[in-house]
Amino acid sequence: MTAEPAIILVEPQLAENIGAAARAMANFGLSDLRLVNPRDEWPNDKARANAAGADHVIDGARVYGTLEEALTGLTFVYATTARSREITKPVVGPHEAAAGAQARIAAGGAVGVLYGRERSGLTNEHISLADEIVTLPVNPAFSSLNIAQAVLIFAYEWRLASVGDGLPFGGEVREQAPREQLVGMFEHLEAALDEAGFFRHSEKRPHITLVIRNFLQRAQLSEQEVRTLRGMIAALERRPTRPHTGADGEQTTERAKS
């Protein structure tokens, strides 16, 4: 029994599509690729090139003359199709199919997913060998997917069902500047704005300073960013530095003597 679903491409026409499907499989941890009567010769350099490094999937791909042979050893089979069929079978979406595959494999079963030819998909005869149909909520006016796209969707859902939705990396959580540094910057900025005549209506000054403080706090500034902003304010004030400790040990915002 395999620990992952087999991806079975039935009579694929383009080696490039096989390579792209292999790449999609490798992206989400699948490697069991089975080819039923591919049109292009196999092995195929175009497939390997389009696999973009998923060589282990290409090298491990097995070729079969019939679908029946490719299904050997499987205990449950899904057939993918974008249109309604005459055959009555349970119909599920990719999320439900992947969860079902994960459960069946965990219970000791072996699962396969069928994908049909680029132009016409699976035949009713192919689908008759499957247990359930997998379809997508595609636009009915344009429902055809490239094989690799269809494989990618299931492979993604399989990955979620198997290992969860934990991402391989997260956004860096930066350490913010201490509150006293932020308050010092606010006071420095407000003093510079006072001197520049920004607060033309004194009665509105308290409200405007609150607005300024609020949007600057939303930036979640780091210590370096606070220092940079204070340096920018000092430059606009034509000071050599931001407010600093003078030679007498006192904090000063006095401009340097020219």
Side-chain angles (χ1 to χ4, degrees), residues 142-198:
F142 194 75
S143 60
S144 177
L145 268 71
N146 175 274
I147 291 177
Q149 293 173 323
V151 170
L152 180 70
I153 291 171
F154 176 82
Y156 169 76
E157 293 291 352
W158 163 259
R159 186 73 173 177
L160 289 184
S162 302
V163 301
D165 58 0
L167 300 177
F169 61 89
E172 179 184 358
V173 178
R174 301 182 308 157
E175 185 173 345
Q176 294 176 229
R179 192 59 40 174
E180 64 273 15
Q181 292 187 16
L182 199 61
V183 170
M185 184 197 68
F186 291 156
E187 293 173 346
H188 182 191
L189 174 60
E190 290 155 13
L193 292 174
D194 272 327
E195 188 168 344
F198 177 77

Side-chain angles (χ1 to χ4, degrees), residues 191-209:
L193 292 174
D194 272 327
E195 188 168 344
F198 177 77
F199 301 110
R200 290 190 295 273
H201 304 287
S202 59
E203 71 277 7
K204 294 183 178 180
R205 187 185 190 280
H207 173 70
I208 295 174
T209 55

Side-chain angles (χ1 to χ4, degrees), residues 1 21 52 73 81-82 97 102 125 151 157 162 176 184 190 196 226 243 248:
M1 299 295 183
T81 181
Q102 196 278 333
E125 287 72 24
V151 170
E157 293 291 352
S162 302
Q176 294 176 229
E190 290 155 13
V226 168
D248 57 0

Side-chain angles (χ1 to χ4, degrees), residues 19-175:
R23 179 180 184 177
M25 292 171 61
N27 285 149
F28 296 102
L30 297 178
S31 60
D32 187 351
L33 176 61
R34 305 183 187 189
L35 309 175
V36 178
N37 194 25
R39 187 190 67 181
D40 291 347
E41 63 179 8
W42 194 264
N44 191 287
D45 290 340
K46 291 181 179 178
R48 186 176 298 279
N50 278 267
D55 292 341
H56 64 290
V57 180
I58 295 296
D59 292 338
R62 288 170 284 178
V63 179
Y64 300 87
T66 67
L67 176 57
E68 288 81 358
E69 293 172 339
L71 298 180
T72 299
L74 301 181
T75 59
F76 196 93
V77 177
Y78 293 99
T80 62
T81 181
R83 64 183 188 274
S84 178
R85 300 302 184 109
E86 301 168 358
I87 302 174
T88 301
K89 288 184 182 293
V91 178
V92 297
H95 181 78
E96 186 178 352
Q102 196 278 333
R104 289 181 174 91
I105 289 173
V111 176
V113 187
L114 307 183
Y115 295 86
R117 298 160 294 178
E118 288 89 332
R119 289 189 178 181
S120 54
L122 296 169
T123 66
N124 286 340
E125 287 72 24
H126 296 146
I127 293 175
S128 70
L129 297 174
D131 297 283
E132 292 184 358
I133 289 174
V134 182
T135 193
L136 303 171
V138 292
N139 175 7
F142 194 75
S143 60
S144 177
L145 268 71
N146 175 274
I147 291 177
Q149 293 173 323
V151 170
L152 180 70
I153 291 171
F154 176 82
Y156 169 76
E157 293 291 352
W158 163 259
R159 186 73 173 177
L160 289 184
S162 302
V163 301
D165 58 0
L167 300 177
F169 61 89
E172 179 184 358
V173 178
R174 301 182 308 157
E175 185 173 345

